[in-house]
Amino acid sequence: MIRKITPAGVVSTFAGSGTQGNLNGTSTTARFSFPNGLVVDSSGNLFVTDRGNSLIRKITSDGVVTTFAGGASLTITIDGTGTAAGFTGIWGIAIDNNGNLYVSQNTNHVIRKITPAAVVTTFVGTVGTSGSVNGTGTTATFNGPLFLCIDNDNNIYVTELNNNSVRKITPAGVVTTFAGLNGIGSTNGSVSVAKFSGPVGITRDTSGNFYVSEASVHRIRKISDSSLSISDIFLTNNIITYPNPTTNWLQLEVRNTDFSNLSYQLFDLNGRMILNQKITAETSSIQMERLPAAIFLLKVVSNNKEVKTFKIIKKEN
């Protein structure tokens, strides 16, 4: 089924009967089989990757469901128009400023393009060949492409589950590795050093920042447009201090996070830096007993960028 959520948080069933199948119709009379990715065009039409049926379904704003492309084969990649085209292993879907749809085929490692007239071609990737080769068009290779998003210049960004990377595709079909060059991991930092662990979903905000989900490790990563650096959005939730208030010692704990680029800085309320130390373990013990009773600010920074700030109350010994 396809569910609809209004801005007020009201949830309803928009399309699909709840029974697996392949049936066009209106609203809840239609049937899908493992619908996956969704995207909306400028006219309010919804396009859905119907993974189990290897189809691209179209749903109008009134809930009328039709087959937009696919149907020639459930297992073979076939270029063609409308139902004369064939898909297999379809996953994510995105739309550019010209109304062209782009669909990832996870199992045979290609990105398909569908024009507004439903003309389907293989845009990038070599059908049936997995790899991580950058290049143009079908000379490039992917390994398990999943979800996609598109920027204002019609560049496409694709998560690659098996390569632990995010690939970039220009409108001319030039494929490069945008982020994740160094194998599996959780390292934050610039795109040249950052690592992913099974990236799945991807989206982009109005400021040009990207957000990538890592399902297997329950984490959301952020790729900053301005600095092209990657950070863990929930890193702040993994950093705690205790006890607070304190008298003698303050414990700074960094949980389940790569702390190799982290350090802490302690300031008084006049902005004077008292301590500046690199974090070398999950728990750092900060001596406070020699400091006067006052309020201090403890900042955790990564590559000279503030991650989290704590207000620390120092009491009399």
Side-chain angles (χ1 to χ4, degrees):
M1 293 189 297
I2 309 299
R3 309 298 294 279
K4 177 180 178 179
I5 309 172
T6 70
V10 179
V11 181
S12 60
T13 300
F14 184 60
S17 64
T19 300
Q20 183 179 358
N22 177 12
L23 182 66
N24 292 323
T26 301
S27 190
T28 55
T29 64
R31 294 184 181 183
F32 300 84
S33 180
F34 298 100
N36 207 344
L38 309 95
V39 73
V40 180
D41 70 10
S42 59
S43 300
N45 298 303
L46 182 66
F47 294 88
V48 182
T49 53
D50 191 350
R51 183 173 173 82
N53 289 319
S54 293
L55 300 174
I56 307 302
R57 311 290 289 278
K58 177 181 178 180
I59 311 173
T60 69
S61 57
D62 296 325
V64 178
V65 180
T66 56
T67 298
F68 185 65
S73 173
L74 293 175
T75 59
I76 301 176
T77 297
I78 302 172
D79 290 342
T81 300
T83 55
F87 297 88
T88 180
I90 54 177
W91 205 277
I93 187 169
I95 191 167
D96 69 14
N97 297 333
N98 301 313
N100 298 301
L101 298 169
Y102 298 88
V103 175
S104 62
Q105 293 188 185
N106 172 260
T107 55
N108 65 357
H109 319 294
V110 293
I111 308 298
R112 310 292 294 286
K113 178 179 179 179
I114 311 172
T115 70
V119 177
V120 181
T121 55
T122 299
F123 185 54
V124 291
T126 305
V127 175
T129 300
S130 63
S132 58
V133 176
N134 292 322
T136 301
T138 56
T139 65
T141 58
F142 295 83
N143 193 352
L146 289 181
F147 288 102
L148 314 90
C149 71
I150 297 181
D151 68 16
N152 295 335
D153 297 319
N154 288 333
N155 296 299
I156 306 165
Y157 300 83
V158 185
T159 55
E160 273 191 295
L161 181 69
N162 299 329
N163 281 334
N164 296 295
S165 65
V166 177
R167 308 288 288 281
K168 178 181 178 180
I169 310 166
T170 71
V174 179
V175 179
T176 55
T177 301
F178 179 63
L181 299 169
N182 302 283
I184 190 169
S186 60
T187 303
N188 292 319
S190 68
V191 292
S192 62
V193 301
K195 295 181 180 182
F196 290 95
S197 183
V200 179
I202 185 169
T203 192
R204 182 177 179 270
D205 67 21
T206 55
S207 299
N209 301 301
F210 295 87
Y211 300 87
V212 177
S213 63
E214 294 175 307
S216 62
V217 291
H218 322 293
R219 185 167 48 206
I220 309 296
R221 310 289 293 281
K222 178 181 179 181
I223 307 176
S224 302
D225 182 65
S226 58
S227 62
L228 288 183
S229 65
I230 300 174
S231 62
D232 186 338
I233 261 197
F234 293 131
L235 175 61
T236 57
N237 293 335
N238 291 329
I239 303 176
I240 62 171
T241 58
Y242 60 89
N244 190 15
T246 185
T247 54
N248 297 324
W249 292 91
L250 179 70
Q251 306 298 322
L252 172 65
E253 189 171 306
V254 181
R255 300 173 175 172
N256 302 318
T257 300
D258 179 6
F259 48 77
S260 59
N261 294 317
L262 296 179
S263 60
Y264 66 83
Q265 300 169 346
L266 186 67
F267 296 85
D268 63 22
L269 289 186
N270 294 318
R272 181 175 66 92
M273 183 183 294
I274 300 168
L275 291 172
N276 184 9
Q277 297 289 332
K278 184 175 176 57
I279 296 176
T280 59
E282 287 191 358
T283 301
S284 301
S285 297
I286 303 171
Q287 189 176 33
M288 302 288 291
E289 64 177 335
R290 296 181 182 178
L291 297 176
I295 294 176
F296 298 88
L297 297 178
L298 180 68
K299 295 184 179 183
V300 178
V301 298
S302 174
N303 295 317
N304 296 318
K305 293 183 180 180
E306 183 179 329
V307 174
K308 191 170 185 177
T309 298
F310 299 90
K311 182 175 76 172
I312 306 300
I313 300 174
K314 168 62 169 65
K315 300 177 73 174
E316 290 285 357
N317 298 336

